[in-house]
Amino acid sequence: MYTTVNEDGVLNNYANEPKMYYAEYPAIWEQRKYLIQGVFAMLILTTLILVGLSVS
């Protein structure tokens, strides 16, 4: 941990910064997983909207 002391004796602690890295494009199986998650989310959302409309 990086620490500095000012002239009054007060400590300032600074967190270590993580190394930067570039995001990688998702693989084919990850893209399919995201697609399946999106389909299930749309099904749940559509079901909730239809149930809400039918109840009211």
Side-chain angles (χ1 to χ4, degrees):
M1 183 177 291
Y2 179 68
T3 304
T4 60
V5 181
N6 67 3
E7 51 278 339
D8 294 331
V10 178
L11 295 174
N12 283 329
N13 293 325
Y14 299 100
N16 292 335
E17 294 184 7
K19 287 186 174 183
M20 300 263 313
Y21 62 92
Y22 292 104
E24 296 178 7
Y25 195 77
I28 298 287
W29 62 272
E30 290 175 321
Q31 293 176 15
R32 287 186 189 136
K33 187 172 77 169
Y34 297 147
L35 179 65
I36 292 170
Q37 288 176 351
V39 168
F40 281 127
M42 288 297 287
L43 284 173
I44 291 172
L45 184 63
T46 304
T47 303
L48 286 174
I49 290 172
L50 291 175
V51 168
L53 289 174
S54 67
V55 168
S56 64

